[in-house]
Amino acid sequence: MRYMIICCLLMLCIVGGQSTLAAAPDKSLNEPSPTVMTKVISHVSKDAVTGVEKIRVVFETSGPVKINSSISASPSPRLTVNVKGAGRGSVPDTLDFDGNIINKVSVIEREDGSSTLLVDIPTLLGDGDYRVFTLRNDPSANRPYRIVIDINKPVPPVVYNFTPGLKDKVIAVDAGHGGSDPGAIGLSGVYEKSITLAVAGKVKKLLEKAGSQVIMTRETDCDIAGRNASDVAELGGRTAIANNNKADVFLSIHTNSFTDRTVGGSAVYFTQKSMYDLLLAQSLDSALMQNSKFKDRGVSRGNLYLTKYSLMPAALIEMAFISNPSEEKLLQSPAVQQQIAQNIVNGLECFFAEAAKRGGG
Amino acid sequence: MMQMGQRIGSLLVLIILSALLITACGLDTGKNSTPGASSKPAEQTVDPAKTPGSGIEGKQVVVYFPTRDAMYLMPENRKILPGQDPMRSSIEILLSGPENQDVVAIAPQGTVLRSISVKENIAYVDFNHAIIKNNPGGSTTELLLVGAIVNTLTEFPDISGVRILVEGKQVQTLTGHVDVSGVLGRSEEIIKKRK
Ligand SMILES: [Zn+2]
């Protein structure tokens, strides 16, 4: 409450010193009042880099508090936050959410002036999927003491009935960029779009030999949606080809680039639409490291259009850095391209073997 | 009439107050926090002295740049001159590059900040076409560039999200990898953790 008054006073100065102080209850100005929660605010945001959606719930308190938290699975998934040193104050005892990340938060006040926050969640959270912490007040920025709860959106529990093996699988293969878009350009002038097309063609041949049906987004040096199409149409055209053909898996093949030309290595990006996206990325990444000329930069969640808007498990492979002169040279070698293509196909085979074990059955 | 005026005045104060409280919640830096364990004590609180814009003299802004290995973003504290717009200045520093040798410049050559505005806690940051045309490409560069812009702007307490515009228009992507079409939120994961 005291904070509110200070805040009001500050506001009044800013607004221009109108004498409307009567709005603030002046009774508690000189009395020490117990610490309580004064406000609760929530905010959903999407991580710009990983694409992970998260909710932040902030409980403002009139003074500092101590907290601890724990996760329990039964009777239903719940995050419990014990708040030592603050009563419920003016915060409602039940806060309803849309069930996307949080179903409901109950605020229970204890007799000793402490509280417990019961956060009901749709599915159990892993350790890395949430954090609970406090923030100190900052009067100069008009910010009170706060309890912050961050929770990531859980991975949707989608189940595919994949069988092992590559035979009769529909694989959509996207050679990155093309036509009016050269992609990244190496120091000696090699275009990303040429390398990706060469490797995608080799992947196609190997997959067809293994009995897969391959859908290519492009087989020549062309734009997918026409020369003057928008960037939405160009990327949307690629995912539409995979989606319309009901591909089992979508792969987009690229070469990476960075200003520091010593940076190198291969990387696999995915968007976690289901648990299969991570599995696909991991399978490809470990296969890519077989007899590899490039170091492993690992798998990462990425806020990438192609992996996000494809309806099936998808991965974007950055084979190596075309900006790194020695990797640029290697990327042009047909033998290296063949090895990468073989590794990609092996990675897909590993993916279906593992997915068959996990999915459906 | 007098009473009415007072009531409107009080209402105005309340509206402004609640607006401020909402903005205050924005996205905190969470610099000192660590990923959760299944049972854990309270984590460290952020030092208010390090919150941007909190100093009266010698204003500081926090600008993010990629590490040399292109794996993470790291914050760099930079002083701005009195009277300079902190939000505009922070993006201009991002465009001109870092002072610290552990991080590198990420903005494509010739990128110019056309305008920056804030509406309902979302920063609309508009660049010229150089951010696409002179972009070297690659998922890594695009992710780090977008992350650096968003994390630099969400350092400001009243900014909860960012929209990137190019020549005044919304774009789907900068170089064909990252989806920049919506409101972009802060990324804690890409920030290099202090040892
Ligand atoms: Zn690319």
Side-chain angles (χ1 to χ4, degrees), chain B residues 75-87:
Chain B
E76 182 173 287
N77 293 315
R78 295 279 289 263
K79 279 213 165 62
I80 59 165
L81 298 169
Q84 279 188 317
D85 173 44
M87 213 172 278

Side-chain angles (χ1 to χ4, degrees), chain A residues 3-4 7-8 11-12 14-15 18-20 22-23 39 41-43 45-50 52 54 56 58 60 65-71 79 126-144 146 148 150 152 177 181 183-185 192 231-232 235 254-260 262-263 267 269 295-298 300-306 308-309 316 318 321-322, chain B residues 5-7 9-10 12-14 16-18 20-31 33-49 51-55 66-71 73 104-106 122 132 135-144 146-148 150-151 157-158 160-161 170-181 183-190:
Chain A
Y3 169 74
M4 293 269 282
C7 204
C8 276
M11 276 306 77
L12 281 168
I14 295 163
V15 169
Q18 287 184 28
S19 55
T20 43
K39 200 185 182 88
I41 304 155
S42 70
H43 169 75
S45 76
K46 253 185 201 153
D47 183 308
V49 176
T50 64
V52 174
K54 81 172 186 195
R56 167 163 288 193
V58 180
E60 296 181 355
V65 296
K66 285 229 164 2
I67 56 161
N68 64 66
S69 62
S70 61
I71 283 273
L79 168 65
D127 275 358
D129 289 330
Y130 76 100
R131 28 177 222 156
V132 184
F133 56 98
T134 56
L135 292 169
R136 201 177 297 160
N137 70 333
D138 181 4
S140 63
N142 284 314
R143 311 180 91 190
R146 285 148 291 164
V148 183
D150 279 344
N152 287 346
H177 311 277
D181 171 18
I185 303 172
E192 175 180 3
D231 51 0
V232 195
L235 290 173
H254 290 253
T255 67
N256 220 335
S257 182
F258 192 60
T259 50
D260 185 327
T262 63
V263 169
Y269 291 93
K295 79 173 179 65
D296 187 14
R297 285 173 67 89
S300 311
R301 288 181 294 194
N303 179 25
L304 305 181
Y305 184 98
L306 295 171
K308 197 166 167 180
Y309 295 107
L316 188 147
E318 291 284 3
F321 281 73
I322 203 167
Chain B
Q6 270 203 347
R7 202 170 295 166
S10 315
L12 185 72
V13 169
L14 276 171
I16 294 166
L17 176 62
S18 48
L20 244 118
L21 286 172
I22 290 165
T23 61
C25 122
L27 279 167
D28 290 297
T29 54
K31 271 180 213 118
S33 53
T34 51
S38 58
S39 185
K40 54 201 173 173
E43 289 167 18
Q44 280 293 302
T45 55
V46 167
D47 184 352
T51 309
S54 62
T67 51
R68 298 209 80 92
D69 62 2
M71 293 298 281
L73 293 173
V104 294
I106 185 69
I122 307 296
I132 290 176
N135 199 309
S139 298
T140 293
T141 291
E142 195 176 359
L143 286 165
L144 290 169
V146 170
V150 172
N151 282 8
D158 56 346
S160 64
Q170 289 171 10
V171 288
Q172 185 73 55
T173 185
L174 297 178
T175 62
H177 315 96
V178 182
D179 176 20
V180 299
S181 61
V183 174
L184 301 162
R186 186 178 180 79
S187 180
E188 296 293 346
E189 213 173 294
I190 197 70

Side-chain angles (χ1 to χ4, degrees), chain A residues 146-168:
Chain A
R146 285 148 291 164
I147 304 161
V148 183
I149 303 171
D150 279 344
I151 304 177
N152 287 346
K153 188 182 169 168
V155 181
V158 182
V159 175
Y160 292 97
N161 288 299
F162 284 129
T163 54
L166 293 169
K167 199 171 178 315
D168 299 326

Side-chain angles (χ1 to χ4, degrees), chain A residues 88-104:
Chain A
R88 184 163 64 81
S90 54
V91 166
D93 57 3
T94 308
L95 302 153
D96 286 314
F97 287 81
D98 63 6
N100 206 5
I101 306 175
I102 295 177
N103 297 329
K104 189 180 82 178

Side-chain angles (χ1 to χ4, degrees), chain A residues 274-284 350-351 354-355 358:
Chain A
S274 73
M275 65 157 179
Y276 298 89
D277 295 279
L278 170 63
L279 178 62
L280 176 62
Q282 285 172 333
S283 305
L284 289 165
C350 290
F351 166 73
E354 187 58 34
R358 295 195 196 182

